[in-house]
Amino acid sequence: QVQLAESGGGLVQAGDSLRLSCEVSGRSFSSYIMGWFRQAAGKEREFVAAVGWRSGSTNYADSVKGRFTISRDNAKNTMYLQMNSLKPEDTAVYYCAAGLRSYRDDAGANKWGQGTQVTVSS
């Protein structure tokens, strides 16, 4: 069974950078599309970015395009989200997910991490 474990969240100032990690363990996931999602207080969860584990294809939400970079390290079984030029509106709990059917939403997601808090102060 696949298990996901996020890390790397924290409190930063606007304009700073953070890198989130999602370590994947369990059965083979080479065919997965994986992604990052976030949920701000009082709001619905939203798509942030997705990556094909085998292909390396990526897609981003318009709100993070040009600032965030999703990647994966097959050897380390880890997915990353490099977040640059952070804004207060990026404040949210960030979740990684596996088993996505597309590169734009959480349809098909069958495994979620526990989430990591990112807080950006102005």
Side-chain angles (χ1 to χ4, degrees), residues 6-86:
E6 300 108 333
S7 61
L11 171 63
V12 297
Q13 293 186 332
D16 285 351
S17 299
L18 274 178
R19 188 177 77 160
L20 305 183
S21 299
C22 176
E23 186 174 357
V24 186
S25 61
R27 65 178 176 86
S28 174
F29 46 82
S30 60
S31 62
Y32 281 0
I33 297 173
M34 294 188 62
W36 289 96
F37 297 80
R38 66 187 182 186
Q39 187 168 21
K43 295 187 177 180
E44 293 188 354
R45 185 171 58 204
E46 64 175 359
F47 167 78
V48 175
V51 62
W53 195 267
R54 179 177 294 176
S55 67
S57 298
T58 60
N59 188 44
Y60 298 90
D62 288 343
S63 59
V64 306
K65 203 169 292 184
R67 300 189 297 122
F68 291 11
T69 302
I70 190 171
S71 63
R72 84 273 186 254
D73 185 326
N74 297 45
K76 294 183 178 180
N77 293 342
T78 302
M79 178 176 67
Y80 302 99
L81 185 67
Q82 177 67 43
M83 305 186 294
N84 298 330
S85 302
L86 282 162

Side-chain angles (χ1 to χ4, degrees), residues 4-10 20-22 36-39 45 92-97 111-118:
L4 309 178
E6 300 108 333
S7 61
L20 305 183
S21 299
C22 176
W36 289 96
F37 297 80
R38 66 187 182 186
Q39 187 168 21
R45 185 171 58 204
V93 178
Y94 283 71
Y95 300 90
C96 61
K111 203 67 181 180
W112 293 86
Q114 80 283 0
T116 185
Q117 177 71 45
V118 172

